[in-house]
Amino acid sequence: MEKKVDHSCTLDKIISLCKRRGFVYQASEIYGGQAGAWDYGPLGVEFKRNIQNAWWHYMTQLHDDVVGLDSAIFQHHKTWEASGHVAHFSDPMIDCTECNARFRADQLIEDFVHSHPETNPGKPVDTMTHEEMKAFIDANINCPTCGSTNRKYTAVREFNLMFKTYQGPVADESHLIYLRPETCQGIFTDFKSIVQSNRMKIPFGVAQVGKSFRNEIIFKNFIFRTCEFEQMEMEYFCKPGTDDDIFESWRKDRWNFYLKYGIAEKNLQWHHHDKLAHYAKDAYDIQYNFPIGFEEIEGIHNRTDFDLSQHTKVSGKDMNYIDQEDGNKSYTPYVIETSAGLNRNFLAFLCEAYEEQNVGDEGNEDYRTVLHLHPQLAPVTVAVLPLMKKDGLAEKAQEIRAALKEEYVTDYDQSGTVGKRYRRQDEIGTPFCVTVDYDTITKDSPNFDTVTVRFRDSMEQDRVKLSELSGFLHNAIRNYKPVEKK
Ligand code: ATP
């Protein structure tokens, strides 16, 4: 019997496409790979930057009250004492004593419950104590690494996720330095400077994109969980008492960001935190329906006045805000945080865009792999393809490409049939292909000085005057509607 080919999106297919087409490679692959580290290739770096730019545009340009910051990765080590990271930023860890494999106890339970929904701890995992986790694991879960059914595990204990080292040659407490585990603390320590230098009035937000580092116990699922990743965070400072409404309004806003850039609403869901972090009054995650199930891509937190109060306490510097619009009242602002992972956004947008689409006619099967990426996110916006290499078509195509370069990221491809070249562009999500044919260069043709623009999603084609090409593409990007996949 003929084996049925699976045309769904799987993580393995995404990993293979990323490697094959230069989106993402395993870091240090020639040495066997560095665990939890990935390199972004020529297309990946463009795609990642486009997501970052879309976020920045959405958060700062479209919000008059949000400004930007780029703070240092290294902050004074007291920052992390004040923020609570030294004491609290940890995950529960458990080891199998037979093979020494190490697991995150909460994830071990979550993965088990996912495949055995009938056996569950009867309460959310994030509310379980260490003893409850250990008892559940001992009673139910064989070691996923060595398969031992003896269930000989250590106790569950907390493991701090911050990387630490010493600055300079002296390894003592005063030279202790941490790699930041979140970008936002730089925003809090700079709060006063931002208010004073830019005459900011509450409410206002500060946006920042940058690397964060976490010594994760396990890395899983490609770029989903890594030690080094980028966060796109915004801290919105507001008057205490206004925080609940502002929290709700940012929840809506952030949800709409994903819809705007092409995620179908059915693939998003909210997850409410049952157990709150030490700083939070309320917290929700936006989860995306990855091939591995719904998982977090962004957290939205009401951090209260925790961070600014802590920095006042530990630094001795007053971080209060003087509200001139409220009789010069002095108060510590509340903070609503939106914290998205750039790399997880990358993976979510890729999975959402991926389709193996049957484009065969009359009942025939002919599958193309296509990424329906939003044109503002796609690594290449327009590919220019001469029908043939000869007769001046290649030169004309290069000339057209050169004219488009100032405004768009372009590609040029002259090898193989046009059909094959379209497929290559479809696979990397190029929304427009411009084809140069004999009509383009034949003076007495009615189509002289025109090209064919082929649309990735519909595969339809339009004949467009060269003089109007740039504007035509501009409008097509502006009016782009994400496709509904079957
Ligand atoms: P998780 O529960 O998955 O460990 P978290 O709740 O600790 O995530 P936050 O501290 O809220 O995550 O960080 C905000 C965002 O940063 C997350 O929504 C995620 O997109 C991203 N992020 C956090 N940890 C990692 C990681 N190890 N690798 C990649 N992205 C991460």
Side-chain angles (χ1 to χ4, degrees):
M1 214 173 69
E2 210 178 300
K3 207 168 153 237
K4 206 157 165 21
V5 182
D6 174 17
H7 290 289
S8 63
C9 173
T10 65
L11 200 56
D12 283 344
K13 288 182 188 176
I14 294 286
I15 296 170
S16 141
L17 174 80
C18 280
K19 184 174 162 63
R20 195 170 66 246
R21 298 307 308 270
F23 280 87
V24 183
Y25 317 117
Q26 169 80 70
S28 306
E29 196 175 10
I30 58 166
Y31 293 106
Q34 173 61 34
W38 299 89
D39 296 337
Y40 289 77
L43 293 183
V45 73
E46 296 287 342
F47 178 44
K48 182 151 68 72
R49 189 168 295 150
N50 289 345
I51 299 171
Q52 176 180 331
N53 289 345
W55 183 89
W56 192 261
H57 167 84
Y58 188 89
M59 298 300 281
T60 65
Q61 200 167 325
L62 302 187
H63 290 89
D64 300 338
D65 52 357
V66 177
V67 293
L69 181 76
D70 185 8
S71 67
I73 287 173
F74 292 141
Q75 299 285 336
H76 195 286
H77 66 87
K78 287 223 159 96
T79 306
W80 307 108
E81 285 165 29
S83 67
H85 282 82
V86 173
H88 300 292
F89 194 60
S90 55
D91 279 335
M93 174 172 82
I94 192 166
D95 299 352
C96 167
T97 56
E98 294 194 0
C99 69
N100 296 325
R102 183 157 282 177
F103 306 100
R104 239 179 91 169
D106 54 341
Q107 281 176 358
L108 198 57
I109 297 172
E110 270 167 11
D111 289 350
F112 176 81
V113 172
H114 193 68
S115 49
H116 304 79
E118 67 294 346
T119 312
N120 63 70
K123 64 194 303 201
V125 179
D126 58 5
T127 63
M128 292 172 83
T129 63
H130 286 177
E131 291 68 32
E132 286 169 336
M133 285 191 218
K134 163 87 170 141
F136 185 85
I137 292 169
D138 283 349
N140 299 294
I141 309 178
N142 299 332
C143 174
T145 302
C146 67
S148 169
T149 52
N150 297 328
R151 299 185 194 141
K152 291 205 169 138
Y153 293 107
T154 60
V156 174
R157 62 247 191 255
E158 288 297 312
F159 171 72
N160 195 293
L161 301 182
M162 280 199 296
F163 284 99
K164 79 178 179 191
T165 184
Y166 298 92
Q167 193 172 30
V170 187
D172 66 10
E173 280 300 292
S174 62
H175 294 87
L176 191 58
I177 197 116
Y178 296 98
L179 289 182
R180 69 178 176 199
E182 59 183 24
T183 59
C184 62
Q185 289 304 323
I187 299 179
F188 299 132
T189 54
D190 282 343
F191 171 70
K192 277 280 188 185
S193 302
I194 296 169
V195 169
Q196 282 155 11
S197 61
N198 291 60
R199 295 188 291 127
M200 301 306 292
K201 299 252 178 307
I202 270 184
F204 72 90
V206 181
Q208 166 156 240
V209 181
K211 288 240 169 168
S212 291
F213 304 85
R214 295 184 188 177
N215 200 358
E216 298 279 359
I217 297 167
I218 45 159
F219 325 104
K220 263 205 322 198
N221 298 326
F222 189 35
I223 54 172
F224 180 81
R225 183 176 303 286
T226 51
C227 278
E228 174 187 341
F229 56 97
E230 280 161 277
Q231 288 185 309
M232 307 185 287
E233 296 199 295
M234 192 276 315
E235 309 300 318
Y236 197 82
F237 299 93
C238 63
K239 194 171 175 172
T242 62
D243 52 306
D244 290 339
D245 287 348
I246 290 173
F247 182 67
E248 285 312 315
S249 139
W250 274 110
R251 278 182 59 201
K252 279 198 204 97
D253 228 325
R254 291 304 308 150
W255 184 267
N256 289 337
F257 169 81
Y258 293 104
L259 303 186
K260 175 173 178 179
Y261 287 101
I263 306 257
E265 198 151 22
K266 65 176 172 31
N267 286 330
L268 293 174
Q269 73 180 23
W270 288 108
H271 167 74
H272 186 242
H273 285 216
D274 295 300
K275 186 178 165 195
L276 293 167
H278 59 276
Y279 52 77
K281 170 176 164 189
D282 203 359
Y284 280 86
D285 296 335
I286 297 179
Q287 295 185 329
Y288 173 71
N289 190 12
F290 289 101
I292 48 168
F294 275 97
E295 295 284 353
E296 171 178 347
I297 49 175
E298 168 158 358
I300 296 160
H301 312 121
N302 183 340
R303 293 182 81 116
T304 66
D305 57 1
F306 176 83
D307 301 273
L308 290 178
S309 302
Q310 281 296 107
H311 288 304
T312 299
K313 216 183 284 170
V314 176
S315 71
K317 302 277 180 333
D318 176 18
M319 303 294 270
N320 269 12
Y321 174 78
I322 312 291
D323 198 336
Q324 290 168 350
E325 266 142 51
D326 190 7
N328 282 338
K329 217 189 240 168
S330 165
Y331 57 80
T332 313
Y334 265 43
V335 174
I336 305 303
E337 170 180 80
T338 70
S339 176
L342 176 52
N343 317 73
R344 282 192 197 173
N345 264 247
F346 183 111
L347 189 57
F349 281 116
L350 262 190
C351 294
E352 182 72 15
Y354 184 93
E355 185 179 25
E356 289 177 26
Q357 186 183 25
N358 185 4
V359 290
D361 48 14
E362 294 166 7
N364 294 322
E365 291 200 341
D366 177 18
Y367 281 86
R368 66 164 182 159
T369 299
V370 53
L371 296 181
H372 298 286
L373 293 172
H374 191 290
Q376 279 164 341
L377 302 187
V380 175
T381 316
V382 48
V384 185
L385 321 172
L387 189 65
M388 314 285 269
K389 283 181 243 180
K390 53 185 188 177
D391 301 329
L393 291 179
E395 290 75 10
K396 185 69 187 171
Q398 289 286 17
E399 185 189 311
I400 294 169
R401 182 192 188 186
L404 291 172
K405 263 184 201 175
E406 274 290 342
E407 277 179 273
Y408 305 104
V409 177
T410 60
D411 192 9
Y412 174 83
D413 188 1
Q414 61 175 27
S415 57
T417 63
V418 171
K420 283 218 175 83
R421 286 183 262 165
Y422 284 154
R423 291 278 169 105
R424 281 203 287 269
Q425 296 297 333
D426 288 343
E427 201 186 36
I428 61 166
T430 307
F432 313 106
C433 286
V434 166
T435 311
V436 177
D437 57 21
Y438 284 99
D439 282 340
T440 314
I441 55 166
T442 305
K443 281 220 168 81
D444 48 6
S445 159
N447 282 331
F448 174 60
D449 256 352
T450 66
V451 283
T452 302
V453 176
R454 183 258 194 189
F455 298 90
R456 174 200 64 204
D457 295 342
S458 64
M459 295 185 294
E460 281 166 8
Q461 307 194 354
D462 257 0
R463 200 82 203 179
V464 179
K465 279 194 191 144
L466 271 179
S467 57
E468 292 168 8
L469 181 59
S470 185
F472 178 89
L473 295 173
H474 180 83
N475 286 339
I477 294 170
R478 226 190 140 76
N479 300 325
Y480 178 78
K481 296 265 170 311
V483 285
E484 270 182 46
K485 285 190 294 176
K486 290 200 193 96

